[in-house]
Each structure stands twice: as C-alpha cells, then as structure tokens.
Amino acid sequence: FWSSNRLLFAKVIRIHSGTIVLLLRLGIVLISRQRQWCSAPFVQRDALSSTKVLSRFLTSAIMGKEAQIIGEYRRPHNDLEKQSYAGHGSIHDASIANKIGFKGAPIHGTVHFSQFAPLFLEAFGPQWFETGTISVHFKTPVTHLEPVRACMDRPTAPTDQVRIWMEKEDGKLVLEGTASGGGDQSRTTKARDQISKALAKPPSSELLILNGVRVGAISDMENVKIGFKGEIGSMFPFTYEDKLKIITEYHPWYTETGGPSSPWGAAILPPEMHNALMCYTMFEGGFLKSAH
C-alpha cells in the first residue's frame, strides 16, 4: 500500500512506489441498514478560514451526472510537515522537498481518500465502509491548499468496480484508479495492474524508496488503535482531533460526539486514517526493519 508520499531522498518516483491499494475489510457489524449516510450533512471546513460551510451530501457536495459523480474542489492540508522518518525529516517538509527538486512539499497521498468518501457513499452506500475497496496510482504531487476534486464513473450496481480519478483545476491528473463496494476481490484493480507491470520489468538499479521491502510483503499481525486525543506518533505528528479540524470532507460520524449516531453505533475512521492505522508500528512490526 505504499505510495509516492513515502518518497524521502529519491529524485525519481518508480512504479513500485506509485501504487497504493487499500482493501477496506473493516469487519464492522451494521447496526441498522435502514439508516442512510445522507441523513447527516458533510461539513466542509474552508481551508482559508475557520468558517464552517455546511453542505447537504446529495446536493451541493456532489455534482451528479448521468455517467459520472464529480465532487467539488477542496483544498487539502499538508499535515506531515513535521513528520520524522527513521531519524530524519521527510519529503513533506518544504526544505527537504526543495533540495531534491520539488517546487513545494507534496501532501501524502492518502489525504485524498477522504475526499472520495461522499462520492463512494453516493455510489455504493454505507457498505463501502465495510467491504469497499480503493486502489490508485499517483501521477502528480499536490501541495498545501492546492485545489483538487474527486471524480468517478457511476456504477450500475453497488458491487461494480469503476474508474476513479482526481484532478487539479487545470485538468492535470493527480491520481487514477479503481473502487468498488465489494464483490469479486480477485478482479484486477489499478494497484494489481501496476504491480504486474513492475514485476514484469524489474528496475535496473536499486530502489531508493523502501528498498528493504519486496512487492507483496505481509507484516506480522499487530494490535493497534487510534484515540481522539493522543498524538499518533512521529510518522503522523498530530492527534485525530487535529485531523478532523482540517479534513477535506468532515462528517459527524467521524467524531466522538457524533459517532454514536452512525449506523454502526460508534465513531468510524475516515478513509485516509487507515494509512495511519497501518503505519502506526511499522518499524516495530517487522515490515520495515531493513528499510531506510
């Protein structure tokens, strides 16, 4: 599930690190399937002020078209500027990014996943949080507060796998991939397609990004959790409450007070936070012991 946001000192982003897959099999028991996601509004926090702009999920937050679902432009935050990685800073720090040729510090890729949440709930319903998938290949970095919007083809059934993408205001592609509400997990996703290409044509030189990890590696089983108030760690130097203050697509179901009103009877994590959950102890769990 590693992406180009793991880039530290590389000048070239290789295909191995441009692919990310996240299969959201959360094992959540749905309390009541009669409740609908659109019963509560998404809240867009204006990135340039503290003003809360309320938007009804099925009206202003989504521009529905016959064949596509397209979200509004949002301004995602770079929340990893103070990230430390194996004893040093990361590409998300502007000074390091500038040294290796970036015009600005790129936002880590999974931040964009939460921007797809309103689209996925429109397309697949609440089941996406239980059995849904998202699989993307990153194409172009996004910097702090740079406007982007999420887009997807509209499925004909909740289990369909469809094309998704994100674009900038000038139309430049940020990422492209596939998503589904569940169904056949053996079908080819965007990540599997990219991995197949990478395995068919191995790199001619040593990888600079996560060079101690092989394609398809599986970590040891670990028990981890993310609370509302405690800092998540050096990889994610903020609290979950901090994240909710700047998230591109906010929903009460993500919160401590609003979580009990969700269909699951408790708060759920937004899509982007699964990256933090998986990376919480990655140096201790055997997955990156040989990487640097």
Side-chain angles (χ1 to χ4, degrees):
F1 51 82
W2 301 104
S3 69
S4 57
N5 66 296
R6 293 284 161 253
L7 178 64
L8 298 178
F9 297 106
K11 293 186 179 179
V12 178
I13 301 176
R14 297 185 181 276
I15 196 171
H16 294 67
S17 63
T19 300
I20 181 165
V21 62
L22 180 61
L23 301 180
L24 299 179
R25 293 182 172 278
L26 305 182
I28 299 173
V29 177
L30 187 61
I31 302 301
S32 171
R33 294 186 181 275
Q34 301 303 313
R35 302 180 187 175
Q36 298 296 317
W37 177 267
C38 56
S39 63
F42 272 96
V43 180
Q44 169 59 17
R45 285 189 168 90
D46 189 331
L48 301 181
S49 71
S50 60
T51 303
K52 294 182 181 180
V53 182
L54 297 180
S55 58
R56 290 302 297 183
F57 153 62
L58 290 180
T59 55
S60 63
I62 297 293
M63 294 182 289
K65 297 184 178 180
E66 184 177 349
Q68 297 177 341
I69 307 175
I70 300 176
E72 293 180 345
Y73 283 102
R74 301 301 195 210
R75 295 178 178 269
H77 285 236
N78 177 15
D79 54 17
L80 294 187
E81 186 176 3
K82 296 181 180 179
Q83 181 187 63
S84 62
Y85 184 96
H88 51 70
S90 76
I91 187 65
H92 308 299
D93 177 87
S95 61
I96 294 177
N98 291 337
K99 287 179 182 178
I100 60 175
F102 282 86
K103 294 181 179 179
I107 295 169
H108 66 105
T110 50
V111 162
H112 301 309
F113 285 8
S114 291
Q115 205 165 327
F116 280 95
L119 283 67
F120 291 164
L121 270 297
E122 160 75 357
F124 305 121
Q127 75 177 55
W128 185 81
F129 276 98
E130 302 175 52
T131 60
T133 68
I134 179 172
S135 175
V136 308
H137 177 63
F138 292 100
K139 308 285 286 185
T140 308
V142 176
T143 56
H144 184 61
L145 299 182
E146 185 176 6
V148 292
R149 68 178 179 180
C151 311
M152 68 180 292
D153 290 337
R154 186 182 293 275
T156 57
T159 56
D160 286 351
Q161 179 172 282
V162 296
R163 178 177 64 110
I164 66 171
W165 68 99
M166 178 170 280
E167 60 188 22
K168 299 185 179 184
E169 288 182 306
D170 61 2
K172 186 173 292 184
L173 199 62
V174 173
L175 61 84
E176 59 183 349
T178 54
S180 74
D184 182 9
Q185 298 302 323
S186 65
R187 56 194 168 193
T188 300
T189 63
K190 183 63 179 180
R192 286 175 179 153
D193 178 57
Q194 293 296 126
I195 290 172
S196 295
K197 292 177 181 178
L199 292 175
K201 188 178 180 180
S204 57
S205 60
E206 183 182 10
L207 291 175
L208 299 177
I209 307 166
L210 301 179
N211 62 354
V213 178
R214 61 179 176 81
V215 175
I218 300 175
S219 69
D220 300 331
M221 185 67 70
E222 301 173 66
N223 294 318
V224 296
K225 72 175 184 178
I226 292 178
F228 284 93
K229 301 183 183 302
E231 189 169 286
I232 299 170
S234 59
M235 281 289 293
F236 295 88
F238 50 78
T239 68
Y240 181 47
E241 286 186 341
D242 292 335
K243 164 55 67 176
L244 293 180
K245 294 175 183 178
I246 59 173
I247 193 169
T248 52
E249 294 290 358
Y250 172 96
H251 197 284
W253 290 357
Y254 299 153
T255 70
E256 190 169 14
T257 55
S261 67
S262 78
W264 304 277
I268 59 173
L269 286 174
E272 67 181 273
M273 289 303 295
H274 289 88
N275 186 30
L277 193 68
M278 290 186 287
C279 295
Y280 196 84
T281 58
M282 67 180 189
F283 287 105
E284 293 78 26
F287 193 70
L288 288 181
K289 283 184 177 179
S290 60
H292 60 272

